[in-house]
Amino acid sequence: MTTLSPPSNKQASPSASPKLQPVTGQQPKSSVRVAILGCGQIADAHLSQIQRIKFAETVAVCDSLEDLAYQAAARFNVPAMFTDWREMLQQAQPDVVHLATPAHTHAALAIELMKAGVHVYVEKPFTLDVNEADRVLAVARETGKAICVGHDQLFDPVWLRVKQLVAQGAIGSVGFVESVLGYPINGQFGKLVASDPNHSVRRLPGGLFQNTISHPLYRMTDYLTDEVPTLIGGWERNTEFDFPTELHVSLLGEKVNGTLTFSTRIPPQRITRVYGEKGTLTVDFDTQVIRREARPRLPGAFAKLEAPLQHVTESVRNLTRNLWRFAWGDIHYFAGMKTLFEQFYRSIMHGSEPPIPAIEIRRVTHIMDQIFDHCRRQEGGQA
Amino acid sequence: MSTAKRVCLTGATGFLGRRLVPRLLNEQDVTVRCLVRNSSDVDPLLGVLSAEQQSRIEFVRGDMRDAEYLKQGLDSCDVLYHLAAALGGSTSTLFLNTVVPTRQLLDVAHAQGVGRFVLVSSLGVYGTAGLRNWQQVDETCPLDPQPERRDPYSFSKVRQEQVAREFSQKTGLPLVIVRPGVIFGEGRPLITSRVGLSVGPLLVRMGGSHSLPYTYVENCAEALKLAGLTPGVEGETFNVVDEGFLTGHQLVRYVRRHGQKKWSVWVPGMCIQPLSWMYETYSWLSSGQLPPVITPYRSAAIWKPLRYSSSNAKAKLNWQPPFTVEQSLERTIAG
């Protein structure tokens, strides 16, 4: 028996007890029934963001470990929990399943879920490699089920603003993108991965990087549109660890170049800088700040005054924007995730194109494969 | 007290385990087997043992998720002390590293015929939000009925206890539960969330008129030793707090007197609930822009003035804390 007793549910709001919805029954056409498969840390982000979407309802959570399913259901007031996903589909009848399991399980589970009749949202990384991605996308076409990948930072408010500014010509045409991810190995998750040689992340083809570099990479590939960019650089091992912990690669495309840096030696940070012919836009996802720097228009020594003045103006603009957003309760770490979920669910409800095209899912996976192959060759001295 | 016992431990190299092991080895005819991770450093523990004591300790290295390793580790074990638990991280991480391994350990302990399973729980498992101010908290008080509304650590400890109790009732595995208060000692800060919230360099002191439920690590280790070795206490639960410990006000004054700079503002006890309600309401209205880490329920669980009792440990284990409050504070500050 894998269906578990519903947990207590007490905390949807400070003032009122939530109303439980029946697990089964007719699906209202105006809403989406969502289930979560895999109740690790990232599932918390999914559950909290789904709660913010008015037309979505989490109907079940599932994890092979009963205690993980229990804690997620209890905290997020989910009416049913399971340790067997097939039973979950049968009893909870979700429209969409969010796959938040370890990466090596994504392809097989996504294929089985779509064949079982549900749409699937897959956490990053989409699959272990492009061959798996191709198989998953082929099943999506065959079954007519929608599939989405967790490239949520593409829908973060600051990134959407950057895209808007670029589209308006604020920095001219883009020529270079620089993307940095700071990922200290002494953080909670890093420690866990470093101390356990059998950790699932260590066994990924791209190791520690595969689990995270899709974020800085897809921020680059939004502008660098090549399928097979030329690669320079590699990964290296920190002397303390027996696996690679630093990655620095340049991607040379036909029209746009870029650099991707993953470092365990710097504090946590998610920064992307977009260089155009007329200026640059630097976006810091953690502080929700965009800094625009135009090429100085004044000559000689006057330019040295114009640039810092620009910085002051940008600071005032950022402060005003963030104060306004704070006042409206609009600053959320996973804001992009909520927007992506909404767009994905709407595409399901209306039968329209998904927010991230299949071709982009495949391309990012393929470029990751190329990066890891390149780094391995570099390390082996074969390149 | 003991007659040729083989004692096994998880968490032997941790803050409490390092104090428990020497106390166990002070008992004649006790041999100790420590189940430690491959990455654990056992030298600090060995460093405090005599050569004779070192001859009665062994280390078995492995992963607690590996049933074969646990079988080997618990072979011929009379008493198992389960100290290992995650202290920080997300709720799922705490469950993964505390509750899930406990299930595995219970299974193997039962299969191997372990004579007594001593679970180190926490004083935080009580449902104190529902108690009256100044009510006494003893072992008859119920567990928190809504632990999911608490902090991740307390939630994981409540679940761990429930799992252990259910297993013991189902299988008959002899279980003893020890619920220490906040364990302090050399190398750990005295000012904890029980005193107030640290906001950058500032301490926001919350109430502070009641004796804090603290226990000095050496006192706690002594109680724990007794919980494993005292005959006839299977099925018992023991609170472990150093009764008569300082209040929050007194503790802050104490650390200041001993040279630690501590900038603080004080929130009177009567203001804690209204402020917590305001914070939670804002958190809800802003859809979690500020996460609901302060709620009336959580505040009541941590800062409500209550009286914690260790009388059961004193009566049934004959526990007498080896160090007075003054001595334990002096040793902590000096360390």
Side-chain angles (χ1 to χ4, degrees):
Chain A
M1 183 67 181
T2 51
T3 310
L4 307 169
S5 304
S8 57
N9 41 81
K10 303 286 194 300
Q11 204 189 12
S13 80
S15 55
S17 291
K19 290 175 187 167
L20 290 184
Q21 298 296 319
V23 175
T24 54
Q26 281 297 312
Q27 174 205 334
K29 288 181 180 171
S30 58
S31 72
V32 173
R33 295 167 63 84
V34 185
I36 307 288
L37 177 50
C39 295
Q41 195 164 331
I42 196 62
D44 285 8
H46 286 238
L47 287 159
S48 64
Q49 296 312 308
I50 295 166
Q51 279 187 341
R52 296 178 60 211
I53 300 172
K54 288 189 173 64
F55 58 91
E57 174 196 4
T58 308
V59 294
V61 291
C62 179
D63 197 291
S64 59
L65 294 170
E66 173 191 342
D67 295 304
L68 290 197
Y70 164 82
Q71 58 83 27
R75 288 184 301 128
F76 292 94
N77 193 31
V78 179
M81 56 186 186
F82 300 84
T83 54
D84 181 324
W85 64 263
R86 289 177 182 85
E87 209 161 319
M88 175 177 78
L89 295 196
Q90 197 179 16
Q91 293 191 30
Q93 299 182 2
D95 303 308
V96 184
V97 172
H98 286 223
L99 203 44
T101 52
H104 64 274
T105 65
H106 284 180
L109 281 172
I111 287 170
E112 289 200 65
L113 285 164
M114 286 187 289
K115 285 184 174 173
V118 291
H119 308 285
V120 181
Y121 179 101
V122 185
E123 247 310 326
K124 57 80 196 164
F126 186 63
T127 51
L128 292 186
D129 56 38
V130 76
N131 294 329
E132 281 193 352
D134 283 340
R135 286 206 298 277
V136 173
L137 296 171
V139 172
R141 282 193 301 274
E142 287 161 18
T143 57
K145 294 297 165 189
I147 191 141
C148 190
V149 65
H151 293 178
D152 51 275
Q153 288 167 25
L154 292 177
F155 299 84
D156 190 285
V158 285
W159 189 250
L160 294 176
R161 175 74 183 146
V162 163
K163 292 188 75 168
Q164 189 184 27
L165 288 168
V166 171
Q168 290 167 353
I171 58 169
S173 63
V174 173
F176 190 81
V177 185
E178 189 180 277
S179 211
V180 176
L181 178 68
Y183 194 88
I185 201 87
N186 57 0
Q188 274 172 20
F189 187 71
K191 267 187 192 165
L192 208 64
V193 173
S195 66
D196 182 2
N198 296 318
H199 195 284
S200 62
V201 166
R202 296 271 291 273
R203 296 202 302 264
L204 295 173
L208 184 61
F209 311 116
Q210 185 146 19
N211 203 42
T212 42
I213 69 158
S214 52
H215 286 314
L217 179 62
Y218 62 66
R219 300 196 303 254
M220 295 169 69
T221 54
D222 234 11
Y223 292 106
L224 195 151
T225 53
D226 305 68
E227 178 69 33
V228 185
T230 303
L231 297 171
I232 302 170
W235 63 33
E236 63 176 275
R237 289 160 199 265
N238 196 320
T239 48
E240 293 170 58
F241 303 103
D242 57 355
F243 57 96
T245 55
E246 304 291 316
L247 182 140
H248 185 79
V249 287
S250 295
L251 288 77
L252 309 180
E254 196 179 325
K255 292 180 180 165
V256 177
N257 296 341
T259 61
L260 188 158
T261 301
F262 173 106
S263 178
T264 60
R265 294 175 179 150
I266 57 176
Q269 53 198 287
R270 303 173 293 160
I271 295 175
T272 294
R273 195 167 196 193
V274 184
Y275 293 76
E277 57 188 355
K278 293 194 289 187
T280 63
L281 289 165
T282 307
V283 55
D284 183 337
F285 286 78
D286 294 320
T287 59
Q288 292 285 292
V289 161
I290 302 167
R291 204 173 69 208
R292 179 177 164 182
E293 290 167 284
R295 299 297 304 159
R297 284 166 299 183
L298 298 176
F302 293 110
K304 313 302 187 268
L305 302 176
E306 187 188 351
L309 188 64
Q310 265 187 31
H311 294 174
V312 172
T313 312
E314 282 299 299
S315 295
V316 170
R317 189 176 291 151
N318 277 304
L319 180 62
T320 309
R321 187 185 304 119
N322 284 359
L323 274 173
W324 183 255
R325 288 181 60 195
F326 184 85
W328 284 99
D330 186 37
I331 297 180
H332 297 272
Y333 188 86
F334 289 108
M337 192 180 268
K338 176 184 174 252
T339 307
L340 176 55
F341 290 173
E342 281 174 333
Q343 293 195 17
F344 181 50
Y345 299 161
R346 284 204 176 98
S347 75
I348 292 168
M349 289 158 71
H350 303 143
S352 55
E353 285 299 308
I356 300 177
I359 195 166
E360 278 304 299
I361 297 175
R362 186 189 189 280
R363 193 167 71 91
V364 170
T365 309
H366 190 203
I367 294 177
M368 282 173 66
D369 285 357
Q370 293 169 55
I371 290 173
F372 301 140
D373 286 345
H374 172 80
C375 290
R376 271 190 292 271
R377 283 199 305 272
Q378 287 291 102
E379 193 176 45
Q382 294 167 25
Chain B
M1 179 194 299
S2 55
T3 50
K5 278 191 163 42
R6 180 187 291 280
V7 168
C8 296
L9 285 97
T10 67
T13 58
F15 186 64
L16 182 56
R18 289 201 309 271
R19 273 72 173 200
L20 174 61
V21 170
R23 285 182 179 276
L24 287 168
L25 289 169
N26 283 341
E27 298 291 322
Q28 299 221 330
D29 299 328
V30 167
T31 58
V32 172
R33 183 188 291 152
C34 305
L35 279 65
V36 294
R37 280 182 296 211
N38 289 318
S39 57
S40 291
D41 180 9
V42 300
D43 290 343
L45 178 56
L46 286 173
V48 299
L49 302 178
S50 68
E52 187 278 325
Q53 286 176 322
Q54 287 186 21
S55 71
R56 287 189 282 130
I57 188 169
E58 64 173 315
F59 295 94
V60 186
R61 291 184 180 275
D63 186 331
M64 277 183 56
R65 290 167 293 188
D66 178 356
E68 280 306 311
Y69 157 71
L70 290 180
K71 266 185 199 168
Q72 184 197 341
L74 300 186
D75 183 38
S76 310
C77 170
D78 298 310
V79 179
L80 168 61
Y81 288 95
H82 181 32
L83 280 70
L87 297 175
S90 66
T91 309
S92 57
T93 304
L94 284 161
F95 269 64
L96 192 61
N97 295 326
T98 297
V99 185
V100 174
T102 299
R103 274 191 195 276
Q104 176 92 312
L105 202 58
L106 287 162
D107 270 337
V108 179
H110 175 58
Q112 294 292 83
V114 168
R116 183 182 293 182
F117 190 111
V118 181
L119 175 69
V120 179
S121 181
S122 164
L123 211 61
V125 298
Y126 289 113
T128 47
L131 301 181
R132 296 185 310 277
N133 281 357
W134 303 106
Q135 190 170 334
Q136 177 161 291
V137 182
D138 59 24
E139 292 81 357
T140 61
C141 288
L143 294 186
D144 196 323
Q146 299 172 42
E148 69 278 6
R149 297 178 65 180
R150 299 280 300 283
D151 60 284
Y153 175 76
S154 301
F155 185 18
S156 70
K157 294 304 279 186
V158 172
R159 179 68 170 176
Q160 183 192 34
E161 252 205 63
Q162 287 169 337
V163 164
R165 272 184 193 285
E166 282 167 18
F167 187 90
S168 174
Q169 281 163 9
K170 197 170 74 182
T171 63
L173 177 72
L175 177 70
V176 175
I177 293 176
V178 177
R179 294 175 180 156
V182 178
I183 303 173
F184 71 98
E186 299 88 325
R188 272 202 182 170
L190 278 166
I191 304 295
T192 67
S193 60
R194 286 275 177 177
V195 179
L197 295 168
S198 289
V199 183
L202 186 71
L203 173 69
V204 183
R205 287 190 293 123
M206 307 298 274
S209 57
H210 62 287
S211 175
L212 293 166
Y214 275 36
T215 179
Y216 180 50
V217 63
E218 293 286 357
N219 294 342
C220 184
E222 177 67 12
L224 198 50
K225 180 194 83 176
L226 295 169
L229 302 184
T230 304
V233 295
E234 285 80 4
E236 290 284 346
T237 300
F238 299 104
N239 288 352
V240 177
V241 288
D242 296 352
E243 289 172 6
F245 194 77
L246 307 185
T247 66
H249 290 313
Q250 291 167 336
L251 189 60
V252 172
R253 274 204 299 275
Y254 182 87
V255 298
R256 279 183 181 147
R257 268 206 313 276
H258 287 80
Q260 289 183 22
K261 278 190 178 172
K262 201 48 100 175
W263 297 98
S264 68
V265 292
W266 178 50
V267 176
M270 63 188 292
C271 299
I272 293 174
Q273 283 296 307
L275 288 173
S276 302
W277 180 85
M278 284 167 65
Y279 183 95
E280 189 189 27
T281 301
Y282 175 77
S283 176
W284 180 64
L285 289 172
S286 67
S287 300
Q289 176 172 262
L290 297 183
V293 288
I294 302 171
T295 66
Y297 196 83
R298 286 188 184 188
S299 297
I302 305 174
W303 298 309
K304 179 179 279 191
L306 296 164
R307 294 177 296 119
Y308 290 88
S309 164
S310 297
S311 53
N312 201 36
K314 287 179 175 168
K316 293 187 178 152
L317 301 178
N318 198 24
W319 175 58
Q320 295 300 326
F323 294 91
T324 64
V325 171
E326 291 74 23
Q327 288 170 334
S328 54
L329 285 170
E330 280 167 18
R331 288 167 65 100
T332 302
I333 289 283

